[in-house]
Amino acid sequence: SMLQFLENKSLSDLRFAVVDTETTGLSGTDDFVLQLGVVICRSDGTIEEQYETFIKRFFWKPGRLGAFKIHGIKRSDLRSGITPQQMIARLNNYLNETIFVAHNAKFDIGFLNGEADRLNTQIKYNGPLDTLKLSRALDPKRTNSHRLGDVTKRYGVVVTRPHDALADALGTALVLPHLLGAHNITTTEQLATHLGA
């Protein structure tokens, strides 16, 4: 269980896998992951690893790839990708010893679980820790926008390519220490109260 995973660890021992997906649309069941970005970081914002890949797709009809205006991903990009099976294997590898973090985690988990379901497999998440929820909790009157671009701006985090999976994962990873600090989270026990979908 999650608490076992956290047991006897200090916050600085933990590694976080910050994940972002770019997808064909907004429905986890009918849409597909086109690009995956993963940033492995520590609670103080130290980045240990960055990974980005396109996902190979073999079923496209002619025309644009779903939300093209948002993600700008072309069919030719996907040829350099890895298969959905390889993506899930790689992700499980990253998620094994880390806490899963995403901005609006429910969204990414919905898509990733959709991919896993189609392959009759599962992804194991420790967490999740949702930076959107952390940010909103600091703003009970909802006076601010909590979209990732606005949250990064608020904390002075600069990411050069918005709506690219790695750029968004990086932006999320870089605001994570600010959000932990704003909530005065200094122990794994405190962190645990913020985990869960």
Side-chain angles (χ1 to χ4, degrees), residues 14-194:
L14 294 179
R15 290 159 68 245
F16 297 84
V18 185
V19 172
D20 183 69
T21 56
E22 295 297 326
T23 59
T24 51
L26 297 176
S27 155
T29 45
D30 308 322
D31 285 300
F32 297 86
V33 175
L34 298 177
Q35 191 184 29
L36 173 76
V38 182
V39 173
I40 305 296
C41 69
R42 299 271 177 181
S43 60
D44 65 357
T46 304
I47 307 283
E48 296 193 343
E49 195 180 335
Q50 301 182 40
Y51 173 72
E52 179 171 50
T53 186
F54 289 108
I55 315 303
K56 270 191 175 64
R57 295 296 177 189
F58 300 105
F59 50 71
W60 296 116
K61 301 178 198 66
R64 295 283 196 201
L65 298 177
F68 178 79
K69 278 199 280 300
I70 295 177
H71 55 58
I73 294 170
K74 299 183 295 295
R75 205 175 257 88
S76 56
D77 292 329
L78 301 184
R79 287 189 204 119
S80 66
I82 61 177
T83 65
Q85 285 92 331
Q86 288 169 318
M87 172 187 77
I88 287 169
R90 175 151 296 217
L91 199 54
N92 273 331
N93 212 15
Y94 278 127
L95 298 184
N96 199 12
E97 292 293 311
T98 56
I99 303 248
F100 180 94
V101 180
H103 197 74
N104 195 5
K106 225 169 48 235
F107 179 85
D108 295 284
I109 287 173
F111 280 98
L112 293 169
N113 285 345
E115 297 287 350
D117 290 347
R118 283 192 277 268
L119 297 167
N120 292 319
T121 182
Q122 275 183 324
I123 299 168
K124 181 175 147 279
Y125 307 92
N126 293 309
L129 180 62
D130 187 346
T131 51
L132 175 63
K133 276 164 88 171
L134 284 176
S135 183
R136 279 184 178 156
L138 297 167
D139 178 27
K141 294 207 171 90
R142 287 292 163 88
T143 49
N144 289 313
S145 157
H146 296 280
R147 292 175 51 194
L148 181 59
D150 295 316
V151 177
T152 51
K153 246 191 225 92
R154 217 160 21 248
Y155 291 111
V157 166
V158 179
V159 178
T160 47
R161 305 166 301 181
H163 287 301
D164 165 276
L166 187 60
D168 285 353
L170 206 48
T172 305
L174 294 172
V175 296
L176 179 62
H178 293 283
L179 292 169
L180 295 175
H183 280 281
N184 297 313
I185 296 169
T186 57
T187 67
T188 47
E189 288 74 24
Q190 290 167 323
L191 182 73
T193 66
H194 294 275

